[in-house]
Amino acid sequence: MEHDEGFVLTTVDAITNFVRRKMVAPVIDSKPAQFTVNWARKSAIWPMTFGLACCAIEMMATGAGRFDIDRFGAGVFRPSPRQSDLVIIAGTVTLKMGPVVRRVYDQMPEPKWIIAMGACASTGGPFDSYSTMQGVDRTIPVDVYIPGCPPRPEALLYGLMRLQDIIMREAPSAYIFESDGTVRRQRSFDDDQYQLSQGNSVNELADAAK
């Protein structure tokens, strides 16, 4: 597509896109560089200070001294979505709250990840009512589902470790060079125990929590 400014800028864009996709991206996605970038990302996750209901109490306990989520590099809770790369949806999402959750998600810079903590965030929980969203994945994409009502802090730490596994399988160049926002994420694991991914049905995870 030609720029309004004319042929010169169009040619410069074409050359720049060729260089970054054919030369720079393969270097960033090489095994040593990919490991380094993804290791740095998984070891410095900044969660958003965002709690919706009773699961948020368990999330606060996870950040306290007994469980100490900072051991996993995720203890720097930020007050702004523009400084965050993880949102833990901890609690019931109502239909009225859905657009707010989406706005918070849209304000976060890439790379960003979502954890649905608890049965309410994953499936609506016991609230099969007109006012409750039956799973936050109806408004934003979810990377890890944590079943339970409410899940204990250990469950949140386990979900965080599974998210770190997902991060280690990502292609770093996707966040930098994909103009359409495509992110290549591998959400499958060798062990069935680690199938906390978007490929799982929420009902299966809810059944596992019973």
Side-chain angles (χ1 to χ4, degrees):
M1 181 177 178
E2 185 171 340
H3 281 277
D4 295 335
E5 288 80 359
F7 175 76
V8 174
L9 286 180
T10 303
T11 305
V12 170
D13 273 358
I15 295 174
T16 304
N17 288 334
F18 176 82
V19 170
R20 70 184 188 178
R21 290 178 182 274
K22 301 298 182 182
M23 300 175 63
V24 182
V27 173
I28 295 179
D29 287 337
S30 63
K31 285 185 179 289
Q34 180 177 351
F35 175 84
T36 303
V37 172
N38 288 341
W39 175 85
R41 283 176 174 167
K42 81 161 190 174
S43 303
I45 299 175
W46 286 8
M48 172 73 184
T49 306
F50 190 73
L52 293 177
C54 41
C55 279
I57 303 299
E58 301 295 324
M59 180 178 68
M60 296 175 202
T62 309
R66 180 176 179 182
F67 299 98
D68 194 11
I69 196 174
D70 212 14
R71 294 177 295 158
F72 302 90
V76 186
F77 283 84
R78 306 307 301 163
S80 168
R82 293 175 180 83
Q83 301 171 355
S84 308
D85 45 27
L86 169 65
V87 171
I88 302 172
I89 305 298
T92 310
V93 183
T94 61
L95 295 177
K96 193 172 183 179
M97 193 67 184
V100 179
V101 174
R102 181 70 199 192
R103 188 180 309 127
V104 169
Y105 176 82
D106 289 339
Q107 289 176 350
M108 294 169 62
E110 289 284 1
K112 54 188 174 185
W113 304 278
I114 304 295
I115 292 178
M117 180 181 179
C120 291
S122 299
T123 65
F127 306 109
D128 187 10
S129 65
Y130 71 95
S131 61
T132 303
M133 185 176 294
Q134 302 302 300
V136 72
D137 52 5
R138 298 194 177 196
T139 185
I140 58 175
V142 174
D143 296 290
V144 174
Y145 297 91
I146 303 175
C149 186
R152 283 185 53 82
E154 294 93 337
L156 178 56
L157 293 177
Y158 181 82
L160 177 65
M161 289 189 288
R162 299 291 69 79
L163 177 63
Q164 290 176 329
D165 290 340
I166 292 174
I167 294 173
M168 289 300 292
R169 289 163 170 80
E170 293 182 348
S173 66
Y175 297 108
I176 307 172
F177 300 121
E178 297 294 339
S179 59
D180 59 353
T182 303
V183 178
R184 299 187 294 275
R185 293 180 178 176
Q186 181 179 345
R187 292 186 172 90
S188 60
F189 301 91
D190 297 332
D191 193 337
D192 289 340
Q193 180 185 3
Y194 299 151
Q195 294 297 325
L196 291 177
S197 65
Q198 206 169 32
N200 291 106
S201 71
V202 177
N203 290 333
E204 291 175 358
L205 293 173
D207 292 339
K210 293 180 180 179

